[in-house]
Each structure stands twice: as structure tokens, then as C-alpha cells.
Amino acid sequence: MSGLPTSHLLPTYARVDLAFERGEGAWLTATNGERYLDFTSGVAVNALGHAHPHLVAAISEQVAKLIHVSNLYRIPEAERLAARLCAASGFADLVFFCNSGAEAMECSIKSARKFHAVSGHPERFRIVTFEGAFHGRTLATLAAGGQKKYLEGFGPVVDGFDQVPFGDLAATKRAVGPATAAILIEPVMGEGGVRVVPNEFLRALRALCDQHGLLLVLDEVQSGMGRTGDLFAYQHTGVQPDIMALAKALGGGFPLGACLATAEAGKGMTAGTHGSTFGGNPLAMAAANAVLDVMLADGFLDRVRRLSLVLKQKLAEIKDRYPSVIAEVRGEGLLVGLRTAVPNGELVDALRAEKVITVAAGDNVVRLLPPLIATDADIAEGVRRLDRACARLAEVLHKQGVAG
Ligand code: PLP
């Protein structure tokens, strides 16, 4: 062995030996010409599917006009997008644009800390977070997520995060102290296994924040932008955050993140306190404005909710048919999780053999994340292929003598 790598990409991903060269709607075409049904959407990114005409036109037009300009100047496209996001959110007054989910979370964390600092309480910098959460791969967001497997070997863990068990209100209350600045939670825990935060728990967190002068920070990087059937997942809970992080589907595939805040929560983030060279560039803004055009059009989110019902009903039938393979169906909208009775990777592989791409999550879950523009026929085809994949796995288990 020469010891030379076969690829010059830093091998931080265990990649499948499969590459795609184009896409259309919910379908991807591999370099070998084979077509795959995309039930991953770039992990909740390509909400409008692939090659959506409105998104393609908006990006193409903007790319020919102006790709980038410094944030030292006004960017009208960014001002327009920020105003639209604030109006749609129903709570936010201010937006900071960046390029990824982790950056959106960094800005959220910094805003929460700075809020207390400029309110005369610099000692209040700690943030309560939940076990199993995922907030990104920067040093601070790793500390917020608190997952040992991701933190190991990267030196001292950034201080300021107090983790409590998911859904444990008593532990959350115990974790709040004089140094607490905020509570941070994903309304639907994505990477952690598509665990939906019950409305009453979110309401209890809001009440706890109000009682102690804490900020409620929602990480909607994965759950936001229509994925749950509302533009933002908190919108059906009766709870509003003070700060929210967005990314993934915001640019429809173009890299973009955003941190939204109320005027009060964002009051510490004055000139010079934060920045991003690329954040809010005209090209990214054109992409996101085009995504919003589609998502805010009449009936779009209703359709996502309807597709979700259809999908979940079919999934419940499949679960009943193959209890040795699928243990539970959960999720919200088109952020759906199948907790498997087999190792989740086996179902991901079996689905890929059926030419459907899905993605694993924690808690032995397989995530189904079709693009929000998937047709009824796409969903039906995905279900048919899932049925075949489950049948094959159940057959193997049967031969091995496992009931099912
Ligand atoms: N927050 C949540 C809820 C996520 O799901 C992710 C990514 O999966 C992130 C933050 C980090 O986003 P990014 O990978 O764009 O930095």
C-alpha cells in the first residue's frame, strides 16, 4: 500500500460510492445514468426539489447582474428578504445573514449572551440545551449539542452550555441559575432522531424563560422553511421564540443561514459585534427570495400538510405489515422518521438498492425528507419502494428465524 489517499477530500464523511450529476423535481440522476428518488433533499435543503424553474431563473438572473458586494454597503435584496422573513415569522424584527446552520447558531448564541451583557448582566452567558440535540460543528455549537462522539479530540469544550435530558422539565428548571442567559431547543430534533417537542413542553419553556428573564432560542435550521407544514415549526405551537436560527432550505440549495431576533433580543448586536464576508450576498438573497415566493404562494404549505398525511398513513400501514423492520413512525410534516427494529443503516441500504435515497438519524431512525414539491405520484412511488425494501429485510429476518 502506498498510503496515498484515493481521494484528496478530507475523509470526514463515510461516503457512499455513488455520485449524482443532475436532478429534476424529486429525482436525481447518477453519473451511471440510474435514477433515484430523492427522499433526503440534501438533508432537508432542496425543499423545492432539483432544478426548480423559479429558483433557477432567479439565480441565473442575479448571477449575471451581481454575485457579491461587501456588507459595507446596503444590499437591497438582503433588506427585502429580511423584511419578508420578519413578517412571515410574526415575532422577529431583525435578521443577520450568514452561510450555514452552524453560523446561524453562532449568531444566535452570541446575540443571547450579548443581550444580557448590554442589559447589565454579563455574568448571564450560560445556555440550557437538550441531550441528543445537534446545532452544528463549530466549537461552540458542538458544545451546545454536547455529543461526546463529536467533541472528542478537539480540546477543551467551550464553556457555557448546560445539558438536560430531552423533555425533562424538572431538570430544565433545576439547570436554570443566576448565570443562565437562554434556553436553546430544536422544535423537532432532526439529527437526534426526528423527535418532536410536545407543544406543552415548548409552552413550559416559554413560561420558564419569561419567569426568569431568559431568551428562548429555537434552532429551526432543519425544521424551518416549510418542512413541518408550517413555514416555521413553532407556528402551530402557540409559542414564539426571541431568537431563531435558519439555514438548510432557506436558499433552496444555495448556502445560506439566518439568525432572526426580536428588536429587544438583538439589541446588543450593534456595528462591529458580528460579521460575515459572504453573509447576505445578492446571489444568496435572490435564491432565498425565490424560495419564499414559492413557499408563501397560496396553498403551498397546505399541500405539504396534505402530502404529509398521505405519507404518514401509508407508512403506518407499512409499519403494521413489517413490525420486524419498522418500530415507529414519527415526525411532523415532511420531516418524517422511521424508528427501525433493524439497525437503521440496513433500511437505508435496502432503500438505496430500491433507488430511494434516505438518511439515518440518531435513536436508530431513518429520516424521510422528500422535497416539499414532491408530487403525489413521487410519494406513492417512494412508499412502494419502501414496501419492497421492508419485504426484503423481513424475508431475511424470517430466514434467520426472527418473528415477523
Ligand atoms: N442545527 C440543526 C438543527 C441542524 O440539523 C444542523 C445540520 O444538520 C445544523 C444546525 C448545522 O447546520 P450546518 O451543517 O449548515 O452548519
Side-chain angles (χ1 to χ4, degrees), residues 13 43-45 99-105 133-138 141 186 188-191 219-223 245 247-248 256 367:
Y13 288 94
V43 190
V45 169
N99 315 287
S100 68
E103 284 175 77
M105 277 311 310
F134 184 79
H135 299 296
R137 299 280 198 152
T138 61
T141 55
E186 296 161 77
V188 182
M189 195 180 263
E191 305 293 311
D219 180 346
E220 291 239 24
V221 166
Q222 186 157 159
S223 60
K248 286 194 181 279
L256 174 59
R367 268 173 295 177

Side-chain angles (χ1 to χ4, degrees), residues 128-383:
V128 178
T129 63
F130 294 87
E131 285 171 12
F134 184 79
H135 299 296
R137 299 280 198 152
T138 61
L139 290 170
T141 55
L142 279 181
Q147 299 203 34
K148 276 202 183 64
K149 62 178 177 181
Y150 297 142
L151 283 161
E152 235 163 52
F154 294 114
V157 177
V158 172
D159 187 25
F161 299 95
D162 298 306
Q163 276 223 318
V164 297
F166 181 79
D168 187 336
L169 188 59
T172 311
K173 287 181 177 168
R174 279 196 302 274
V176 172
T180 307
I183 297 175
L184 161 62
I185 192 164
E186 296 161 77
V188 182
M189 195 180 263
E191 305 293 311
V194 191
R195 288 192 281 172
V196 180
V197 177
N199 289 354
E200 46 298 1
F201 187 71
L202 215 52
R203 278 198 285 271
L205 293 185
R206 180 70 269 177
L208 195 58
C209 285
D210 293 343
Q211 190 188 346
H212 295 276
L214 313 177
L215 299 178
L216 180 63
V217 182
L218 294 184
D219 180 346
E220 291 239 24
V221 166
Q222 186 157 159
S223 60
M225 300 309 292
R227 182 51 58 189
T228 63
D230 287 291
L231 193 63
F232 308 116
Y234 68 82
Q235 287 179 316
H236 70 272
T237 67
V239 167
Q240 286 194 336
D242 301 292
I243 296 175
M244 170 171 71
L246 295 177
K248 286 194 181 279
L250 181 56
F254 198 91
L256 174 59
C259 169
L260 280 68
T262 62
E264 180 64 6
K267 71 180 180 185
M269 302 304 276
T270 51
T273 55
H274 199 48
S276 162
T277 296
F278 293 123
N281 68 76
L283 188 51
M285 299 298 98
N289 272 312
V291 169
L292 271 189
D293 292 343
V294 176
M295 286 192 183
L296 295 178
D298 268 358
F300 183 86
L301 294 170
D302 293 338
R303 202 182 148 277
V304 173
R305 284 193 282 269
R306 185 180 63 72
L307 275 186
S308 164
L309 286 179
V310 171
L311 176 60
K312 281 208 198 142
Q313 191 186 354
K314 298 276 182 220
L315 294 176
E317 288 167 19
I318 291 187
K319 169 187 162 289
D320 290 346
R321 225 171 6 258
Y322 307 105
S324 63
V325 181
I326 295 176
E328 187 190 344
V329 179
R330 60 200 195 193
E332 197 89 68
L334 291 177
L335 176 42
V336 176
L338 303 176
R339 191 166 60 78
T340 53
V342 295
N344 54 356
E346 287 186 15
L347 183 58
V348 171
D349 290 346
L351 278 164
R352 198 169 55 250
E354 294 292 338
K355 306 280 187 287
V356 183
I357 60 165
T358 56
V359 57
D363 205 23
N364 209 36
V365 161
V366 174
R367 268 173 295 177
L368 304 183
L369 302 161
L372 307 184
I373 52 76
T375 63
D376 287 85
D378 295 331
I379 296 292
E381 185 58 30
V383 167

Side-chain angles (χ1 to χ4, degrees), residues 23-26 46-62 252 286-287 289-291 293-294 300 371 373-375:
E24 196 182 345
N46 306 96
L48 304 190
H50 304 282
H52 189 283
H54 185 63
L55 183 58
V56 170
I59 292 176
S60 308
E61 253 172 57
Q62 187 62 45
N289 272 312
V291 169
D293 292 343
V294 176
F300 183 86
I373 52 76
T375 63

